[in-house]
Amino acid sequence: MIRVMVVATSPVVRAGLSTVVTTNPRLTVVGSASDLDVLAIEVGQLQPDVVLVDLSGNFQQAVWEKLLVIQEQQYPFATIVIVEELDSIDLETALRSGIRGILPSTSTESEIVAAVEAIAFGLLVLHPDAVELLSIREKVVTNPVQSLTPREIEVLGMLGSGLGNKAIAKHLHISEHTVKFHLSSIFQKLSVSSRTEAVAMGVRLGLIML
């Protein structure tokens, strides 16, 4: 039996997704949550194999980092997200943060059930439109200062001070894996491929003071 936890802001959506999941006799819903904060509190006790998160109409870029932290600090699980528009999210960042399934809100009940089961068996599930976006999306940085999160700017500043991943992790009280996640995101947003280039770009943008 595959244990599933459903996360959605709307109680109607939570109930609907729970009903969809239970149409498959191999799946069982062990609990639900209204947001990621509730998920963080309950996931250790409920111990789901898969967490199904509805982000339609309530998406924030910081959700990827939050999900990563919950898995590292609370309990490891496979995550599938449902989003309103596939082209509204950074698919590469989502995948790097441990997301194992991405579906649009237009997905059918059978598609959702099949995706949950596939992810439980260790597979990666992407809607065909998402695969197309990954292959054709150009990396364009229109305003890197605005696109970097406060935590990413903090990590960039520590890079400028010469700190390594372990030292950054200790200073921020996070894991080295989370530091690598931030670095990967910084490299992508600044269109650089190394720590040295990131620091140089940070200096030019005024994010790092020498």
Side-chain angles (χ1 to χ4, degrees):
M1 187 69 74
I2 298 170
R3 300 167 60 84
V4 182
M5 187 168 179
V6 175
V7 180
T9 302
S10 166
V12 174
V13 173
R14 287 200 303 275
L17 289 176
S18 296
T19 301
V20 168
V21 169
T22 53
T23 59
N24 186 325
R26 292 183 295 274
L27 307 179
T28 182
V29 176
V30 296
S32 64
S34 58
D35 54 43
L36 296 184
D37 291 332
V38 176
L39 172 66
I41 295 172
E42 299 184 355
V43 70
Q45 179 181 355
L46 297 175
Q47 298 188 353
D49 302 303
V50 176
V51 173
L52 175 60
V53 183
D54 175 69
L55 296 177
S56 57
N58 189 39
F59 173 73
Q60 297 179 353
Q61 196 66 36
V63 69
W64 310 134
E65 181 183 346
K66 288 184 179 179
L67 284 168
L68 180 63
V69 170
I70 292 172
Q71 292 183 64
E72 290 186 336
Q73 298 182 352
Q74 303 294 337
Y75 180 80
F77 50 83
T79 307
I80 177 171
V81 297
I82 298 176
V83 298
E84 195 161 0
E85 297 291 341
L86 289 171
D87 58 3
S88 67
I89 68 173
D90 189 331
L91 295 172
E92 294 180 8
T93 298
L95 294 174
R96 284 198 305 271
S97 69
I99 303 302
R100 288 295 168 260
I102 301 174
L103 294 176
S105 56
T106 54
S107 298
T108 65
E109 294 183 5
S110 59
E111 287 173 337
I112 294 173
V113 169
V116 170
E117 192 168 18
I119 290 170
F121 285 107
L123 300 178
L124 178 67
V125 177
L126 294 177
H127 189 274
D129 291 345
V131 176
E132 183 179 351
L133 284 171
L134 280 174
S135 63
I136 66 174
R137 175 170 289 177
E138 296 180 358
K139 295 181 180 179
V140 179
V141 180
T142 55
N143 190 340
V145 176
Q146 201 171 53
S147 63
L148 288 180
T149 66
R151 176 51 62 88
E152 288 168 351
I153 293 175
E154 191 174 12
V155 171
L156 182 60
M158 292 183 185
L159 284 184
S161 299
L163 298 182
N165 290 6
K166 188 172 183 179
I168 294 175
K170 184 177 180 180
H171 184 81
L172 297 178
H173 305 291
I174 58 179
S175 71
E176 289 187 58
H177 183 69
T178 302
V179 173
K180 291 178 182 178
F181 168 76
H182 288 312
L183 291 178
S184 180
S185 180
I186 291 169
F187 288 0
Q188 179 186 349
K189 290 179 179 180
L190 298 183
S191 293
V192 299
S193 58
S194 70
R195 299 165 72 96
T196 301
E197 290 178 337
V199 171
M201 179 65 75
V203 171
R204 287 201 297 271
L205 294 173
L207 298 174
I208 297 177
M209 304 302 293
L210 297 179

